[in-house]
Amino acid sequence: MKKRFLAYSTGLIKKYYPDTDSIKMEEYAYNLEAFYLTVTKMLVIIPTAIILGVIKELLLLLLFFNILREQAHGLHATKSWICLVSSTLIFVGVPFISKIITIPFIIKIILDIIGLLLIALYAPADTVKAPIIKAERRKKYKIKSIIYTMFLIILSLIIKNTVVTNLIIFAIWIEVFLILPITYKIFHLSYNNYIEYLKNMN
């Protein structure tokens, strides 16, 4: 189903924009695949969240997480079913946990500081399918990642609702996990893919 969707969508792009180069087509294909996977995942995750009574928390987590994800990027699962299972466990499990735990204020501060430092060090993290080739783009993504993380941290410190602050901290740390070199190594994925891409271009 996914292959047919991608073939049909990229076929339309080639038909109406025949001058699109191969690099741009790869970027379109990557974004279309991400869109398809997001929609199909939500068809499972949202009903599961509704059944467990965490739909509001799920939507907040997705909001906080995607604010960072759009800038810091990070790894993607290599198979659709792995992506579905891991996303369901994370995006349903985290809201559920956030409703039943209380993180002490000092621990929040520590998690916020470490999370910000790791985002500053390792964002953005690219993938084989979508290497961030241009240095100015990587710099822009890094700066925005840091700014957005600081914004979320400030939000987590001034909001009094424990569940919401938990969701913010978890969102930051989910993104941190997805950009760490050690995470790429654990899943046998190549890191800093733009370096290899630039080598092959020369």
Side-chain angles (χ1 to χ4, degrees):
M1 188 70 179
K2 182 180 75 173
K3 288 181 180 179
R4 285 202 293 180
F5 169 77
L6 291 175
Y8 178 75
S9 301
T10 53
L12 284 177
I13 294 170
K14 289 176 183 177
K15 180 180 177 180
Y16 291 103
Y17 301 96
D19 294 332
T20 305
D21 61 43
S22 59
I23 295 175
K24 201 67 179 174
M25 280 304 303
E26 285 179 14
E27 187 178 325
Y28 285 142
Y30 177 81
N31 289 329
L32 285 165
E33 183 178 4
F35 171 77
Y36 177 87
L37 292 174
T38 299
V39 171
T40 52
K41 281 187 298 184
M42 288 301 107
L43 292 175
V44 175
I45 292 172
I46 289 177
T48 305
I50 291 171
I51 291 168
L52 294 175
V54 292
I55 185 64
K56 288 188 294 185
E57 291 78 15
L58 164 67
L59 295 175
L60 281 172
L61 178 63
L62 287 173
L63 172 64
F64 299 141
F65 169 72
N66 281 301
I67 286 174
L68 289 181
R69 179 70 159 171
E70 285 296 312
Q71 306 304 323
H73 299 270
L75 62 80
H76 288 270
T78 53
K79 297 184 182 296
S80 298
W81 71 267
I82 296 174
C83 183
L84 176 61
V85 172
S86 59
S87 295
T88 303
L89 289 173
I90 292 169
F91 291 106
V92 176
V94 166
F96 190 80
I97 293 169
S98 295
K99 291 181 72 173
I100 60 177
I101 68 167
T102 299
I103 303 174
F105 186 76
I106 186 63
I107 300 299
K108 287 182 183 179
I109 296 292
I110 293 170
L111 290 173
D112 285 341
I113 292 172
I114 296 174
L116 178 61
L117 289 174
L118 291 173
I119 290 283
L121 279 172
Y122 298 114
D126 62 9
T127 63
V128 171
K129 289 185 178 181
I132 305 172
I133 302 165
K134 295 182 178 179
E136 59 266 28
R137 286 187 69 194
R138 292 195 300 274
K139 183 179 180 180
K140 181 185 75 173
Y141 284 138
K142 182 179 287 291
I143 291 170
K144 285 188 175 182
S145 297
I146 294 168
I147 291 171
Y148 291 175
T149 303
M150 291 174 67
F151 167 75
L152 289 176
I153 287 172
I154 292 168
L155 209 59
S156 74
L157 296 176
I158 62 176
I159 289 177
K160 301 301 180 185
N161 187 299
T162 302
V163 177
V164 176
T165 60
N166 287 347
L167 290 169
I168 292 172
I169 292 169
F170 276 122
I172 292 171
W173 276 90
I174 293 169
E175 182 57 31
V176 166
F177 176 76
L178 293 174
I179 65 172
L180 289 177
I182 187 66
T183 309
Y184 277 73
K185 191 171 183 178
I186 289 169
F187 290 100
H188 306 290
L189 297 170
S190 58
Y191 191 73
N192 278 345
N193 295 280
Y194 71 91
I195 296 175
E196 193 63 31
Y197 189 94
L198 291 173
K199 282 182 183 177
N200 293 333
M201 287 180 66
N202 295 331

